[in-house]
Amino acid sequence: MSSVKAWSNGMVVLLPADGVESDRKPDAADFGLPPVVYRGGGSFMRHADERTEALACRLVKVWNEHGCLGGTRPGPVVVSLPPAKSRVLAYLKKRLSRNGISLRFLLPGDKVEVLTPPSLENRSDSGPFDIVGDIHGCATQFRQLLRGMGYVIAEDGVISHPAGRLLVSVGDVLDKGPEQVECLKLMLASWRAGTALWVRGNHEDRVYRLLRRYLEKGVTRSDPTLDAILSEGRAFAHEVHDVLSRLSSHMVLDDGRLVVTHAAHNARQEGSMCGPMQTYGMFGATTGKIEGGLPERLDWTKDYDGRATVVYGHVPGKTVRVVGRTVCVDTGCYKTGRLSAWSWPERVIHST
């Protein structure tokens, strides 16, 4: 018997005892959970093959059908499955996490504690907003874009707009480019002053982890971004670490009409966050395959059916792309020299 912690907006899988068929299969009521909404059968769970991938797709569909909008459902989605090898279960857990779904397995006799995930950063700000794509250490283009949109940069680095507009970064402010410290100082000063909002991208997450290891354990490694931050002194490193630790991969604005994320957003989780949703927001959905040294991405925008307009970055393109209610503002500044922004509620594109 073990104690299992499950998110209230995730999925729980009930399994037979000891991985074998039993006379009485576990039931949701045994754990004080909502009723089972799907029961899988057969022996296809014994091998990690295309049948397991088909089951994973089925579970994603089940979760989308029974999942919550705004965290209003009273508990996790519960399904029941036949015996499965541990490698199959590990595959299912990893596969569903790519869709932002937290998966937990329960055996007869286990105790489950249902946890409420932390709330998504939901602000009442109605804007207007200017949402900037991935900057990646390109301060020259960043300053040029800001000037073009009418922003003013004070001597202390605080970015502000005479008309009271708010600057929003989709993340990946740092890494790659030659002016990382300058970009960081601009965003740090503006974020602390409340004139700019900042979403946590996968590169912020990477640097945060490097700084945490250095500041807590003294562990360091040769890394251009880390070296640049440490060259400014330990106090600056602490400031960067402190701010990065407070950033979320998603932000809800204008009373729910606008969502800003770094890489992807699942409409079924618009009210709350959990570990897989944070990861999904920073890295997006992938197939698990590697192409050209990078994970092969899934296009989540085709299936997005949320009510909010979602603005994101992470996936560089030649221009700002609008698909339905989704807007990608990453125009690959580090390689193309083109940095872009999208204004809300005007829905106007700005580029260098």
Side-chain angles (χ1 to χ4, degrees):
M1 183 179 72
S2 62
S3 178
V4 179
K5 295 183 178 180
W7 293 114
S8 61
N9 62 340
M11 176 177 279
V12 168
V13 178
L14 307 183
L15 296 169
D18 301 323
V20 298
E21 295 286 356
S22 58
D23 294 335
R24 182 180 181 277
K25 294 183 178 180
D27 189 78
D30 300 337
F31 303 95
L33 294 172
V36 172
V37 297
Y38 172 76
R39 296 184 185 275
S43 59
F44 58 85
M45 290 284 290
R46 297 189 181 280
H47 299 284
D49 55 15
E50 65 277 1
R51 291 170 293 181
T52 308
E53 171 60 20
L55 175 63
C57 292
R58 175 60 183 165
L59 293 181
V60 171
K61 184 177 180 180
V62 168
W63 188 84
N64 284 333
E65 291 172 351
H66 298 275
C68 68
L69 268 175
T72 57
R73 185 171 33 76
V77 171
V78 183
V79 301
S80 178
L81 295 178
K85 292 182 179 293
S86 59
R87 66 174 182 269
V88 175
L89 299 180
Y91 174 82
L92 288 175
K93 186 174 182 179
K94 183 177 181 180
R95 173 67 174 78
L96 265 66
S97 71
R98 297 182 199 140
N99 289 79
I101 304 171
S102 174
L103 195 64
R104 293 292 184 269
F105 302 101
L106 291 177
L107 292 169
D110 284 349
K111 291 184 177 180
V112 61
E113 179 184 0
V114 178
L115 305 175
T116 300
S119 297
L120 196 61
E121 185 171 354
N122 196 326
R123 302 174 61 101
S124 60
D125 306 78
S126 58
F129 304 102
D130 295 306
I131 307 154
V132 181
D134 303 37
I135 300 169
H136 278 307
C138 299
T140 300
Q141 289 86 345
F142 188 27
R143 286 177 174 272
Q144 181 184 347
L145 181 66
L146 292 172
R147 286 195 300 269
M149 294 190 295
Y151 282 85
V152 176
I153 303 175
E155 291 185 4
D156 59 1
V158 174
I159 301 165
S160 62
H161 197 282
R165 302 185 69 88
L166 274 176
L167 184 73
V168 186
S169 167
V170 299
D172 281 9
V173 168
L174 64 182
D175 272 348
K176 297 184 179 181
E179 303 161 310
Q180 307 204 42
V181 170
E182 184 177 353
C183 289
L184 273 172
K185 287 182 176 180
L186 289 171
M187 283 304 300
L188 288 171
S190 305
W191 183 85
R192 289 197 180 280
T195 60
L197 306 177
W198 190 356
V199 163
R200 185 174 186 165
N202 58 303
H203 285 268
E204 278 87 359
D205 185 66
R206 186 190 80 85
V207 173
Y208 163 71
R209 294 175 186 278
L210 288 177
L211 283 171
R212 185 177 64 181
R213 292 183 64 198
Y214 171 75
L215 295 173
E216 293 180 359
K217 301 179 180 179
V219 177
T220 186
R221 72 181 192 190
S222 179
D223 180 89
T225 303
L226 181 62
D227 293 343
I229 293 172
L230 296 182
S231 69
E232 296 292 311
R234 193 175 182 87
F236 182 69
H238 272 288
E239 182 184 9
V240 175
H241 174 270
D242 176 61
V243 172
L244 295 185
S245 70
R246 302 185 191 192
L247 303 182
S248 170
S249 65
H250 293 69
M251 187 177 293
V252 179
L253 301 168
D254 201 4
D255 293 324
R257 287 182 282 271
L258 177 66
V259 172
V260 180
T261 183
H262 178 63
H265 181 63
N266 192 323
R268 312 300 269 182
Q269 297 277 27
E270 274 179 8
S272 54
M273 295 293 288
C274 58
M277 272 305 296
Q278 287 277 9
T279 300
Y280 184 69
M282 290 186 291
F283 295 90
T286 65
T287 64
K289 300 178 182 178
I290 301 296
E291 282 194 355
L294 296 171
E296 182 183 17
R297 297 186 177 113
L298 291 173
D299 185 4
W300 62 275
T301 63
K302 296 184 299 182
D303 302 318
Y304 176 71
D305 58 356
R307 295 165 292 184
T309 295
V310 180
V311 184
Y312 69 104
H314 189 63
V315 185
K318 295 181 180 180
T319 60
V320 172
R321 285 96 65 207
V322 180
V323 179
R325 289 192 178 94
T326 68
V327 183
C328 182
V329 291
D330 183 4
T331 46
C333 183
Y334 171 64
K335 289 186 177 181
T336 66
R338 187 185 305 111
L339 183 62
S340 299
W342 194 75
S343 295
W344 173 272
E346 300 87 352
R347 301 173 185 265
V348 174
I349 296 172
H350 309 268
S351 294
T352 55

